[in-house]
Amino acid sequence: MTLPATISVSFDFSQGATFGYPFTVGDAKYGVIGVSQFASSEVPDPVVDLSDVTRSIKISRGRNIMRDTYESGDCTVRVLDPDSYFNPQNASSPYFGFLTPLRKIRVAATTATTQKFLFSGYVDSYKYYYPTGQEIGYVDIVCSDAFRLFQMANVATVADATAGQTTGTRITKILDQVSFPTSMRITDTGSTTVQADPATARTSLAALKAAEFAEQGAFFIRTDGTAEFKDRSDVVGSLAATPIEFNQTTGIPYSDLKYAFDDKLIVNQASMTRIGGAAQTATDATSSAKYFPHGTTVTEMIPETDAQVLDIAKIYVATRAETTIRIDAMTVDLLDPDVPTDTMIGLDYFDNVNITNVQPDGSTIVKTLQVQGLGWDITPNSMKCTVTTLEPIVEGFIIGSSTYGIIGQSIMGY
């Protein structure tokens, strides 16, 4: 069976975090200044195409709804290894001397009209399998995105991280501290100012997440490997985009819809404290009376003033005080001819989706949500995507929006 998109897997054995082919003098594609990457040595490390020997790809990226944060994206690529090329002790292997952890892998999907990366990351491990009675062994190449790099890199003092910087500037300073490539960043300015860096030992990921929470924005790794920071205005503004329709008639077909109706995402009491500040509390009395208290406590925050912290506590409670039926996930089979391949391979965080489901009794459930997770399961004969959806992580007033432009129903920004 032919897949609706051509799936390619490239393995880059070069060092460093940057994805791309090295600059090659005289090459029409890789010899263009401003486009190609300069290599670290005269003999470029190999970049190999594993597409022909790949037998399965599993990708998982998304926001953890219970921890309320984006987590590292993961990918496992299973490749056949009939000639033991992935044996690091095989001196005759073309990869000999290059097989180490933290090399770079990219998975791309290409159609007649577009190409999109589904994952870009770094090798955690090689897992070897030699099944009994099977002549050909295989290797699972297990990868994580750049969040793992940030988790491994500790910081104490962040250079030039002074008081009064916006959250976007602070994130830039942290990325500079760990030498993450400037070509692999998209950073909004940020609306919240922060205090001077606390100069405590922690992971760089923890430092980045502290700035993300202070902004009530979003920091994540894109499918092309770029680290992106969306500030609060950008997150709220994403709600204005026209949603993609998923339904059982005229929209994109789906299966395995996962519903939930519970209290696990309710927060109606919040106590938040910045470093050197006093605790700031926010409470929704109506929600507390209806659902009983559901509290959260956050300390060691980095906003510049207590007033900023109080605003964060208020908006955090305001957007989480109520609950409704959720659609946590749905699965889309790209082999279905009614599924638009370009739309699905281009789907990513903060895309709006309108999901309609007709119940057995004839009633209809309609939810407008945002994409906050994507899982891919690909083999030579199948291509499925599991889409995780959530209510907006931050809501705000949007002029002209029929949903978020109603005074008294939408939350004004701060």
Side-chain angles (χ1 to χ4, degrees):
M1 185 175 292
T2 303
L3 297 183
T6 300
I7 305 300
S8 59
V9 179
S10 63
F11 199 161
D12 184 346
F13 290 103
S14 64
Q15 299 181 35
T18 304
F19 291 90
Y21 291 85
F23 182 85
T24 306
V25 175
D27 189 284
K29 186 174 182 180
Y30 305 118
V32 183
I33 294 177
V35 175
S36 306
Q37 305 292 331
F38 285 92
S40 58
S41 66
E42 293 182 2
V43 180
D45 297 324
V47 178
V48 298
D49 185 354
L50 299 179
S51 307
D52 289 344
V53 293
T54 297
R55 287 300 171 265
S56 69
I57 300 167
K58 293 184 182 297
I59 298 170
S60 177
R61 304 171 54 240
R63 187 176 182 88
N64 185 308
I65 65 172
M66 295 306 298
R67 295 182 59 194
D68 200 21
T69 186
Y70 294 96
E71 296 192 332
S72 176
D74 302 312
C75 175
T76 298
V77 177
R78 175 165 292 183
V79 299
L80 296 179
D81 190 26
D83 301 309
S84 296
Y85 283 173
F86 281 90
N87 177 357
Q89 296 182 324
N90 180 6
S92 62
S93 167
Y95 313 146
F96 183 71
F98 297 108
L99 281 169
T100 65
L102 298 174
R103 301 309 86 178
K104 292 166 282 193
I105 272 193
R106 269 182 155 174
V107 179
T110 305
T111 68
T113 54
T114 190
Q115 181 186 65
K116 296 291 184 180
F117 290 109
L118 303 182
F119 180 83
S120 301
Y122 309 87
V123 177
D124 295 340
S125 63
Y126 306 89
K127 296 184 177 180
Y128 302 89
Y129 298 90
Y130 300 97
T132 302
Q134 183 173 320
E135 294 180 359
I136 298 177
Y138 57 87
V139 181
D140 281 352
I141 306 173
V142 183
C143 315
S144 300
D145 66 21
F147 266 22
R148 183 166 185 265
L149 303 185
F150 302 144
Q151 180 64 29
M152 294 188 298
N154 290 334
V155 295
T157 302
V158 177
D160 300 321
T162 56
Q165 291 176 340
T166 62
T167 47
T169 300
R170 178 58 52 86
I171 281 177
T172 296
K173 298 298 182 182
I174 298 167
L175 293 175
D176 288 344
Q177 187 73 28
V178 296
S179 301
F180 193 72
T182 56
S183 62
M184 293 174 59
R185 311 177 191 176
I186 299 175
T187 309
D188 286 343
T189 301
S191 308
T192 301
T193 55
V194 294
Q195 57 189 270
D197 182 75
T200 55
R202 69 261 194 223
T203 69
S204 61
L205 183 59
L208 291 162
K209 288 293 184 179
E212 174 195 40
F213 192 84
E215 177 64 27
Q216 287 296 284
F219 180 75
F220 55 89
I221 305 301
R222 291 158 53 105
T223 55
D224 64 358
T226 301
E228 180 169 4
F229 170 63
K230 286 181 177 290
D231 63 19
R232 189 166 59 251
S233 296
D234 198 354
V235 169
V236 172
S238 69
L239 298 170
T242 302
I244 301 168
E245 296 288 340
F246 288 82
N247 58 54
Q248 296 147 307
T249 53
T250 59
I252 299 174
Y254 58 81
S255 64
D256 197 20
L257 210 63
K258 290 183 171 61
Y259 289 105
F261 188 32
D262 51 45
D263 69 336
K264 65 184 180 183
L265 299 186
I266 294 175
V267 177
N268 49 39
Q269 298 179 357
S271 174
M272 299 188 179
T273 311
R274 69 186 180 98
I275 298 171
Q280 305 296 310
T281 59
T283 301
D284 188 302
T286 301
S287 174
S288 296
K290 184 177 181 181
Y291 300 117
F292 299 100
H294 288 63
T296 188
T297 300
V298 184
T299 60
E300 302 296 305
M301 294 172 63
I302 63 170
E304 198 171 18
T305 68
D306 283 346
Q308 290 172 319
V309 175
L310 179 59
D311 284 336
I312 293 170
K314 287 178 177 179
I315 197 170
Y316 200 83
V317 168
T319 55
R320 294 163 174 83
E322 263 300 336
T323 187
T324 182
I325 189 169
R326 299 194 315 272
I327 296 176
D328 284 346
M330 61 183 171
T331 300
V332 178
D333 187 347
L334 276 76
L335 267 60
D336 187 327
D338 292 327
V339 172
T341 303
D342 287 359
T343 299
M344 290 306 302
I345 65 175
L347 210 60
D348 210 344
Y349 301 153
F350 294 100
D351 284 340
N352 297 322
V353 294
N354 193 69
I355 305 172
T356 302
N357 184 258
V358 180
Q359 297 291 291
D361 64 351
S363 62
T364 303
I365 295 175
V366 181
K367 297 288 292 185
T368 299
L369 304 165
Q370 288 197 315
V371 175
Q372 291 293 347
L374 291 160
W376 288 95
D377 192 344
I378 304 170
T379 71
N381 298 310
S382 66
M383 186 175 181
K384 293 183 178 182
C385 180
T386 299
V387 183
T388 302
T389 58
L390 287 170
E391 300 284 348
I393 60 174
V394 177
E395 295 180 2
F397 183 83
I398 301 174
I399 295 175
S401 171
S402 60
T403 304
Y404 303 102
I406 303 174
I407 295 176
Q409 294 184 18
S410 303
I411 300 168
M412 303 295 287
Y414 62 94

